[in-house]
Amino acid sequence: MLMAARRRCLEIALADARAGDILVFRWRDGVPTKHGGILTGPDTMIHAYDGTGKVREGNFAEVWRKSIAGVFGGYP
């Protein structure tokens, strides 16, 4: 997932991210990235919640920030 995003999207720093940018997560160092979300505000994102089959907007909490493997966006 991360390699595909890097081939197709512009990688940016989290500090430069804004609503609409793509977030890619990994749960631990050394494991593949398997989760993504879309930033909707400085402290919110939408993503599919594991096991629920639902997409929801939720808090972009510290636990998510620590799991970021890449941030993509940077459009004009």
Side-chain angles (χ1 to χ4, degrees):
M1 179 184 237
L2 184 60
M3 290 187 325
R6 285 182 171 151
R7 280 194 305 269
R8 303 284 182 198
C9 304
L10 176 64
E11 192 163 8
I12 62 172
L14 178 58
D16 297 328
R18 60 183 190 194
D21 290 342
I22 300 166
L23 307 168
V24 177
F25 302 96
R26 88 166 24 101
W27 303 128
R28 291 183 310 277
D29 287 339
V31 300
T33 54
K34 293 185 178 181
H35 194 75
I38 300 171
L39 196 63
T40 57
D43 297 312
T44 56
M45 67 176 182
I46 59 172
H47 65 114
Y49 230 75
D50 190 31
T52 67
K54 297 179 182 178
V55 175
R56 69 179 204 93
E57 184 173 28
N59 189 359
F60 184 38
E62 187 62 25
V63 65
W64 289 108
R65 292 174 192 274
K66 289 180 180 179
S67 300
I68 289 177
V71 181
F72 300 89
Y75 27 79

